[in-house]
Amino acid sequence: MTKHVFVIGLDDFNRRELGTVRGAAEYEFHCLVDYETIVNPPSYPMADIMAEARRTLREAPAVDAIIGHWDFPTTSMLPILRREWGLPTPTLESVLYCDSKYWSRLANREAVPECTPAFQALDPYSKDPVADLQLDYPFWLKPTTAFSSYLGFRIENEDQFRDAMETIRDNVHLFAEPFDYLMQYCENRSALPADGSGATCLAEGIIGGRLCTLEGYVHNGEVVSYAVIDSLRGSNQVSFLSYQYPSSLPDGVQNRMKAYTETFLTHIGLDQTPYNIEYFWDPATDKIWLLEINPRMSKSHCPIFQIATGASHHEVAIDIAFGRRPTFPRAEGRYPMAAKFMPRVYGDAIVTRVPSADEIAAIKRRHPELRVEVAVREGMQLSDLRGQDSYSYEIGELFFGARDETELHQKFHHLMKQLNFQFSEVLPTNYGLV
């Protein structure tokens, strides 16, 4: 019998990935809330969004599972809707501990203090934010709720701090308002910290090292981290350039990260959900820092797993949504190593050339596993792109495999030359690769 699976913000990219999971023919995948409504909209009218989601579910022939792979507000919508439809779900409170960077840091400090940097909450509407500041420069400043480094700034001095706070103050409402709206659905508000709202800012000390992400799930209280993916920064040492699987970190370091993850997720009571959690490892000091936790699978890793293991880890999200323990990953991929590369431009410019569909198709005939997603169009000003970090513009995504890391990076340079993006300004030829 066909099972009906609803996916928040389902797009063509992820529909293709869902088709790679084991038993895909048994599922019928339905979009729950349009992609344009949930990903990078100008605003989130949450009352309307939730009403639309409930209407779709009520009119469905059956609702067997609800999943999502986008960041907030998708992550906080899921436990509300699953609870209302009687489906396996984490509590909203445990998810909000992840969706609020400030609350997450409070829980980090309680559960894994050795992995937690100095931090403090700040009010972006304060009359004198400098007087409120307790951290020494430099530090990172970001809204407590956002994604993709949106409104995140590295602060070196007071002038930068004042400018960044003004920018955050003018834009923080985009995520603050939906966060505060969804808080009303908490069944146990007292389980969450008393201070902090959607409009809170987080200042935290600079941490660094080799960055990686653990993909995993919690099923009936069992915390399983099944993969570690390395995250490489671009030439500015801030923006992401690539995600690479499997990780090259020492096994001992990976095992310590997995232990910290189990301790933290058990502490906040997260259950019945996929997760991804980011860490730094400093090889010079052997120090591990916890960067952030997301109560969802990372969509950026889907084609990576498909290339390296034979299936997208949407399979994990589906299994958990049905209350099953996943059996993932499996060594059924085309290449032993796979990556996502995000070519970037480190300054504003006008796009003067993008590869055509025919050109991309010709390249893919030579590299059958290749996936190319172009994020720009000819004549576009890069500063018009939404959802970018504060220091670069991501012009596309490339997913492909190789025999090892050296071949991965050589292949990236080769592919970028063939794709031949062009801009109105002279740009570095390495597209951010160090």
Side-chain angles (χ1 to χ4, degrees):
M1 182 180 295
T2 299
K3 298 294 185 180
H4 295 270
V5 179
F6 287 80
V7 188
I8 295 179
L10 181 59
D11 59 351
D12 291 341
F13 177 94
N14 284 283
R15 188 180 289 276
R16 289 193 298 269
E17 293 303 313
L18 285 162
T20 72
V21 306
R22 179 178 289 182
E26 302 172 5
Y27 307 120
E28 184 172 343
F29 298 107
H30 306 271
C31 180
L32 183 63
V33 185
D34 292 340
Y35 171 88
E36 291 78 11
T37 300
I38 212 71
V39 180
N40 291 328
S43 65
Y44 290 98
M46 288 310 305
D48 294 340
I49 291 172
M50 293 296 291
E52 176 190 342
R54 292 184 176 108
R55 182 167 54 252
T56 299
L57 294 173
R58 283 196 302 268
E59 295 173 354
V63 180
D64 297 302
I66 307 172
I67 65 172
H69 42 257
W70 301 109
D71 226 316
F72 181 86
T74 295
T75 44
S76 289
M77 291 172 61
L78 284 170
I80 298 169
L81 296 171
R82 286 169 170 166
R83 184 177 70 201
E84 293 177 357
W85 262 259
L87 300 171
T89 184
T91 65
L92 176 58
E93 290 79 2
S94 65
V95 169
L96 289 173
Y97 255 120
C98 304
D99 282 342
S100 167
K101 293 179 174 62
Y102 173 55
W103 288 350
S104 182
R105 280 302 186 209
L106 291 174
N108 294 164
R109 189 167 59 190
E110 293 170 353
V112 287
E114 62 271 38
C115 300
T116 307
F119 68 93
Q120 73 169 108
L122 290 166
D123 180 0
Y125 300 106
S126 170
K127 294 180 180 179
D128 190 357
V130 174
D132 300 335
L133 185 63
Q134 299 170 7
L135 293 184
D136 294 329
Y137 301 104
F139 59 85
W140 277 102
L141 181 68
K142 62 191 80 172
T144 191
T145 304
F147 63 82
S148 299
S149 301
Y150 178 71
L151 295 179
F153 299 94
R154 182 183 171 111
I155 306 299
E156 303 282 351
N157 54 54
E158 182 177 320
D159 288 343
Q160 289 183 357
F161 178 51
R162 290 188 182 277
D163 289 345
M165 286 293 276
E166 181 177 356
T167 300
I168 292 173
R169 182 167 56 250
D170 291 342
N171 296 278
V172 71
H173 64 276
L174 177 62
F175 292 104
E177 291 173 0
F179 183 90
D180 291 340
Y181 176 86
L182 293 172
M183 280 281 294
Q184 70 180 291
Y185 293 101
C186 286
E187 292 185 314
N188 184 16
R189 176 63 179 85
S190 63
L192 294 167
D195 63 324
S197 68
T200 303
C201 286
L202 176 69
E204 62 181 22
I206 303 295
I207 56 178
R210 293 179 59 181
L211 181 61
C212 70
T213 302
L214 275 61
E215 287 276 6
Y217 60 85
V218 192
H219 174 62
N220 294 339
E222 180 188 15
V223 179
V224 177
S225 295
Y226 59 80
V228 183
I229 298 95
D230 289 335
S231 301
L232 276 63
R233 303 281 189 175
S235 57
N236 66 356
Q237 299 303 309
V238 174
S239 306
F240 288 116
L241 172 70
S242 67
Y243 304 136
Q244 300 176 182
Y245 172 79
S247 171
S248 61
L249 291 178
D251 289 344
V253 172
Q254 295 186 36
N255 289 336
R256 287 159 57 199
M257 292 176 176
K258 292 176 182 179
Y260 287 136
T261 299
E262 182 174 6
T263 298
F264 175 65
L265 296 186
T266 301
H267 177 72
I268 64 172
L270 193 70
D271 202 356
Q272 310 299 5
T273 184
Y275 65 80
N276 72 85
I277 185 166
E278 296 176 83
Y279 289 95
F280 281 110
W281 173 58
D282 185 342
T285 63
D286 198 33
K287 179 73 173 179
I288 291 175
W289 296 104
L290 195 162
L291 179 57
E292 71 174 26
I293 169 72
N294 298 296
R296 58 173 176 80
M297 51 168 275
S298 171
K299 68 175 183 61
S300 292
H301 299 155
C302 294
I304 295 175
F305 283 115
Q306 195 277 326
I307 294 167
T309 75
S312 165
H313 63 324
H314 276 103
E315 185 174 310
V316 173
I318 293 170
D319 282 340
I320 292 295
F322 277 95
R324 302 188 297 247
R325 190 183 192 279
T327 57
F328 188 93
R330 299 174 297 276
E332 300 172 356
R334 183 176 304 190
Y335 286 92
M337 193 167 194
K340 171 187 177 179
F341 279 81
M342 296 152 278
R344 295 179 179 274
V345 174
Y346 296 91
D348 200 6
I350 296 173
V351 182
T352 58
R353 184 189 185 280
V354 298
S356 68
D358 288 342
E359 289 173 323
I360 293 174
I363 297 171
K364 291 177 71 172
R365 284 194 290 270
R366 295 189 291 274
H367 305 282
E369 89 288 3
L370 176 65
R371 293 279 297 275
V372 177
E373 301 291 330
V374 177
V376 295
R377 63 183 183 277
E378 289 184 13
M380 181 181 194
Q381 191 85 28
L382 291 178
S383 55
D384 290 336
L385 285 167
R386 287 182 178 173
Q388 303 295 300
D389 67 31
S390 301
Y391 300 98
S392 68
Y393 302 100
E394 183 180 322
I395 62 173
E397 300 174 344
L398 282 69
F399 300 88
F400 55 89
R403 290 170 295 184
D404 54 37
E405 185 174 17
T406 299
E407 185 176 271
L408 270 178
H409 288 256
Q410 291 173 343
K411 197 169 181 178
F412 172 64
H413 280 300
H414 176 68
L415 290 169
M416 288 306 298
K417 288 180 180 178
Q418 291 183 299
L419 291 168
N420 193 23
F421 288 89
Q422 295 180 15
F423 305 89
S424 62
E425 300 175 2
V426 176
L427 302 168
T429 57
N430 65 359
Y431 294 91
L433 191 61
V434 177

